[in-house]
């Protein structure tokens, strides 16, 4: 037991310390961080990094957009992936193996960026709110996890008993399958929400309106602008710009990850169970 506890504590330190270091570095003088003087506590405590980031009004617009994208995108993701997974888990589904093959095929091959761009443009989704939540809402990996969960956790005898009482497939899904699947639903919701929260590439390609850009893209633009300013100047102004640029890098990580980290504790108990049942048994 002592050996196991020691190994677990070591793994915990390895995982947690980098996160802790980012937090203390965001409150420290970047020169101290670069010189390796920041280990356990902030050195020369400062809030300049956060102040510089929050000076940009676009940050709040980005937060608003990202929250909308995350909430709506997660709802749509659950709406399309969970029913698809349940349907593929039903052994009486005609053409089940063929449909599953077509789903899995898309995990290895896709049309590419340019055909996807033309498709989104032709569907009038380019530079709209919906381009961030609709075209990429179907995630085959999520469907496989949920399908495996339904296969292993909902016995056929349960559906047979429900059918004897006159229960249809649709009613069984809503009144029995979903209430018994809170764990996997929480897992898929968390995966989808984190992906939506961190999404920036789709916005970079398909959104040009500043009012629609998510937080990650706005943060990226701020960092690029500061790094460019630091690289083109000279003298004390350039040194100050480089110092703020380094300081902002750590602050940006905190600003963009704290909301997701605050959500995680509420779904953690479902997360562990859902991943174990839905993925490992598959």
């Amino acid at each position: 037991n002592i050996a196991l506890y020691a190994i677990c504590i070591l793994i915990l330190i390895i995982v947690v310390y980098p996160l802790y270091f980012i937090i203390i570095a965001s409150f420290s003088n970047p020169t101290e961080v670069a010189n390796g003087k920041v280990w356990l506590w902030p050195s020369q405590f400062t809030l300049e990094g956060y102040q510089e980031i929050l000076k940009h009004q676009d940050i709040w617009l980005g937060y608003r957009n990202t929250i909308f994208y995350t909430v709506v995108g997660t709802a749509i993701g659950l709406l399309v992936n969970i029913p698809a997974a349940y349907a593929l888990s039903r052994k009486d589904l005609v053409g089940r193996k063929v449909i599953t093959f077509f789903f899995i095929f898309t995990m290895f091959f896709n049309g590419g960026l340019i055909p996807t761009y033309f498709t989104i443009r032709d569907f009038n989704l380019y530079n709209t709110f919906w381009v961030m939540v609709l075209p990429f809402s179907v995630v085959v990996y999520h469907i496989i996890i949920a399908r495996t969960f339904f296969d292993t956790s909902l016995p056929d005898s349960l559906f047979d008993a429900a059918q004897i009482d006159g229960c249809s497939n649709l009613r069984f899904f809503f009144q029995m399958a979903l209430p018994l699947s809170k764990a996997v639903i929480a897992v898929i919701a968390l995966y989808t929400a984190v992906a939506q929260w961190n999404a920036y590439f789709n916005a970079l390609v398909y959104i040009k309106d500043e009012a629609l850009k998510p937080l990650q893209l706005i943060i990226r633009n701020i960092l690029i602008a500061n790094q460019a300013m630091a690289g083109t100047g000279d003298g004390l102004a350039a040194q100050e710009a480089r110092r703020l640029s380094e300081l902002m890098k750590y602050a940006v990580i905190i600003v963009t990850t704290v909301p997701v980290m605050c959500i995680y504790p509420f779904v953690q108990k479902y997360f562990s169970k859902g991943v174990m049942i839905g993925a490992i048994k598959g």
Side-chain angles (χ1 to χ4, degrees), residues 181-196:
S181 307
K182 293 178 181 177
V184 77
I185 291 174
V187 170
I188 302 303
L190 183 61
Y191 281 165
T192 307
V194 171
Q196 282 290 150

Side-chain angles (χ1 to χ4, degrees), residues 86 159 162-163 166-173:
Y86 172 74
F159 180 69
Q163 266 193 323
C167 182
S168 64
N169 251 312
L170 196 61
R171 186 177 178 186
F172 179 81
F173 172 69

Side-chain angles (χ1 to χ4, degrees), residues 263-280:
I263 294 173
Y264 179 77
F266 297 100
V267 296
Q268 190 271 338
K269 62 178 180 180
Y270 298 112
F271 182 78
S272 302
K273 181 181 177 183
V275 169
M276 292 293 289
I277 296 177
I280 294 179

Side-chain angles (χ1 to χ4, degrees), residues 136-207:
F136 310 99
S137 57
V138 175
V139 182
V140 179
Y141 177 68
H142 296 171
I143 292 176
I144 292 174
I145 290 178
R147 186 203 63 177
T148 306
F149 181 90
F150 289 131
D151 271 337
T152 56
S153 301
L154 300 179
D156 293 335
S157 57
L158 182 63
F159 180 69
D160 293 338
Q163 266 193 323
I164 293 174
D165 292 333
C167 182
S168 64
N169 251 312
L170 196 61
R171 186 177 178 186
F172 179 81
F173 172 69
F174 282 107
Q175 294 190 357
M176 303 191 73
L178 287 183
L180 294 173
S181 307
K182 293 178 181 177
V184 77
I185 291 174
V187 170
I188 302 303
L190 183 61
Y191 281 165
T192 307
V194 171
Q196 282 290 150
W197 185 270
N198 292 326
Y200 83 94
F201 182 75
N202 291 336
L204 185 64
V205 176
Y206 304 117
I207 289 181

Side-chain angles (χ1 to χ4, degrees), residues 59-132:
I59 290 288
W60 307 111
L61 179 64
Y63 257 117
R64 186 201 69 180
N65 291 340
T66 297
I67 290 171
F68 284 165
Y69 292 145
T70 301
V71 172
V72 177
T74 302
I76 293 176
L78 292 175
L79 186 64
V80 298
N81 290 313
I82 297 298
Y86 172 74
L88 292 176
S89 72
R90 298 298 311 159
K91 295 181 177 59
D92 54 349
L93 175 66
V94 178
R96 176 190 180 196
K97 292 184 178 179
V98 176
I99 297 172
T100 302
F101 169 77
F102 280 118
F103 271 106
I104 295 176
F105 184 84
T106 63
M107 295 182 69
F108 302 97
F109 304 98
N110 61 63
L113 180 60
I114 295 176
T116 303
Y117 176 87
F118 287 142
T119 301
I120 288 175
R121 184 197 63 183
D122 293 342
F123 274 96
N124 297 318
L125 293 174
Y126 180 76
N127 199 35
T128 66
F129 169 87
W130 298 105
V131 75
M132 293 295 293

Side-chain angles (χ1 to χ4, degrees), residues 233-245:
D234 55 7
L236 294 177
Q239 291 180 8
E240 180 64 15
R242 281 192 288 269
R243 190 182 72 84
L244 285 177
S245 179

